[in-house]
Amino acid sequence: QVQLVESGGGLVQPGGSLRLSCAASGSIFSINAMGWYRQAPGKQRELVAIITSGGSTNYADSVKGRFTISRDNAKNTVSLQMNSLKPEDTAVYYCNANIRMVVSGLHDYWGQGTQVTVSS
């Protein structure tokens, strides 16, 4: 019922910046928290940042001060501005949203993932 479409990944040099975006579509009644997760090769998927419907945010310690999460409730989108990127930020980044659908109710949904590679 829900589709999360991500964009903005790519290759960037250390110290560079990228902006990831995720748009939700479908028979959406409301969206609660939205967030970004990442998974590097050989590692578990980890939380990067979360933003609530009211705009409260939480960040992983490893990205605090470098990444900024934001959302546009009218457009059902969430973005992640990534600055001062490091090689250890290299991972597949996934959009996540807790969404109440018109018919089927409340569920977590995931985007397809977008590759971010930080390398010189």
Side-chain angles (χ1 to χ4, degrees):
Q1 292 183 341
V2 169
Q3 184 176 13
L4 298 180
V5 179
E6 301 172 349
S7 62
L11 174 65
V12 65
Q13 294 183 341
S17 298
L18 285 174
R19 184 176 179 87
L20 306 182
S21 296
C22 174
S25 62
S27 300
I28 298 171
F29 182 80
S30 63
I31 301 179
N32 297 315
M34 304 184 77
W36 290 92
Y37 292 71
R38 67 186 182 187
Q39 187 167 24
K43 295 185 177 180
Q44 295 181 327
R45 187 173 298 185
E46 64 175 351
L47 173 68
V48 177
I50 285 179
I51 184 167
T52 69
S53 60
S56 298
T57 59
N58 280 292
Y59 298 91
D61 289 340
S62 60
V63 307
K64 196 171 298 181
R66 300 187 297 120
F67 291 9
T68 302
I69 189 171
S70 61
R71 65 190 287 170
D72 186 332
N73 292 332
K75 297 180 179 180
N76 291 334
T77 60
V78 61
S79 297
L80 185 69
Q81 178 67 45
M82 304 184 294
N83 299 326
S84 302
L85 284 162
K86 305 174 181 179
E88 50 263 45
D89 294 318
T90 296
V92 177
Y93 284 70
Y94 297 90
C95 175
N96 172 266
N98 186 248
I99 300 175
R100 183 176 298 278
M101 304 301 292
V102 173
V103 175
S104 60
L106 192 64
H107 300 280
D108 280 322
Y109 297 92
W110 292 89
Q112 77 285 356
T114 184
Q115 178 70 47
V116 172
T117 302
V118 184
S119 177
S120 59

